[in-house]
Amino acid sequence: MNNSAQYKVRVTKDHLVFSAAHFITFNGNICERLHGHNWRVAAELSGPLDENCYVFDFIALRDRLQKTVDSLDHRVLLPMKHHMIEVSEIDEEVQATFEKRRWVFPKEDCILLPIENTTAELIAHWIGLQLMPVIGSNASSQLELLQIEVEENFGQWAICQLAIPQN
């Protein structure tokens, strides 16, 4: 076997999409209006071949990614670590405030993400972290890199690469 070969597996499917609303802030105190996207997601793993002569089980990666994508579908994405957006849960509602603006949503329609801003880049990072338990569950795994891609709009992809800790 060629020891210089590098291997990757990549999963992207028509059903690895979610529709969700968000708003981001940028340049200090500029805050977008609430709006939605049909986000598309892809995942790629890099590493050597295992005893089965593959990098990772496509089906396991697809299924875990689908579960994560489904959790975001038809939701309002709100950042919990933003320094200017305050998000609080009050009874069956979620309230978000930014300066003099205020939004109130049914709690069941929201997903509160432990990120600073709901940019495609940080959503990709969060999705990657959701995949880590299934990726790292194999103690003999020598996977090296996880790449998550999130398409916010046609042709506009954010990419996050996460090194996979070795056991």
Side-chain angles (χ1 to χ4, degrees):
M1 191 177 304
N2 184 345
N3 289 335
S4 65
Q6 296 180 345
Y7 300 95
K8 297 178 180 181
V9 294
R10 179 178 170 80
V11 173
T12 182
K13 299 280 187 182
D14 289 342
H15 51 82
L16 288 171
V17 297
F18 64 97
S19 299
H22 81 139
F23 57 90
I24 64 169
T25 65
F26 56 96
N27 294 340
N29 66 345
I30 297 174
C31 182
E32 293 181 323
R33 290 183 180 197
L34 180 68
H35 63 279
H37 297 282
N38 293 316
W39 312 74
R40 192 160 46 135
V41 179
E44 183 174 290
L45 281 169
S46 303
L49 299 181
D50 67 8
E51 68 276 4
N52 300 307
C53 298
Y54 58 59
V55 175
F56 195 80
D57 181 354
F58 282 113
I59 303 305
L61 180 59
R62 180 204 63 196
D63 289 352
R64 182 61 186 137
L65 185 56
Q66 187 71 60
K67 185 176 180 181
T68 301
V69 165
D70 289 347
S71 75
L72 300 171
D73 196 30
H74 294 103
R75 302 292 178 112
V76 178
L77 311 179
L78 295 168
M80 294 300 293
K81 294 186 174 181
H82 195 286
H83 68 285
M84 295 178 72
I85 297 173
E86 186 171 321
V87 177
S88 57
E89 297 179 63
I90 304 167
D91 297 323
E92 297 303 314
E93 296 176 334
V94 172
Q95 175 178 287
T97 59
F98 175 82
E99 295 184 339
K100 294 181 178 179
R101 296 169 70 182
R102 182 173 80 94
W103 303 264
V104 178
F105 308 101
K107 186 185 288 186
E108 66 185 22
D109 290 350
C110 298
I111 183 159
L112 309 182
L113 298 171
I115 59 179
E116 296 171 20
N117 210 352
T118 54
T119 61
E121 292 85 341
L122 291 182
I123 293 170
H125 188 178
W126 180 81
I127 290 171
L129 293 177
Q130 304 312 298
L131 296 179
M132 282 297 184
V134 71
I135 292 168
S137 63
N138 183 350
S140 64
S141 171
Q142 295 182 3
L143 295 170
E144 298 163 352
L145 188 68
L146 169 64
Q147 178 170 299
I148 300 295
E149 302 173 27
V150 172
E151 186 183 48
E152 181 181 88
N153 202 337
F154 185 74
Q156 297 174 198
W157 290 89
I159 299 170
C160 178
Q161 295 183 326
L162 298 169
I164 299 173
Q166 299 301 307
N167 295 322

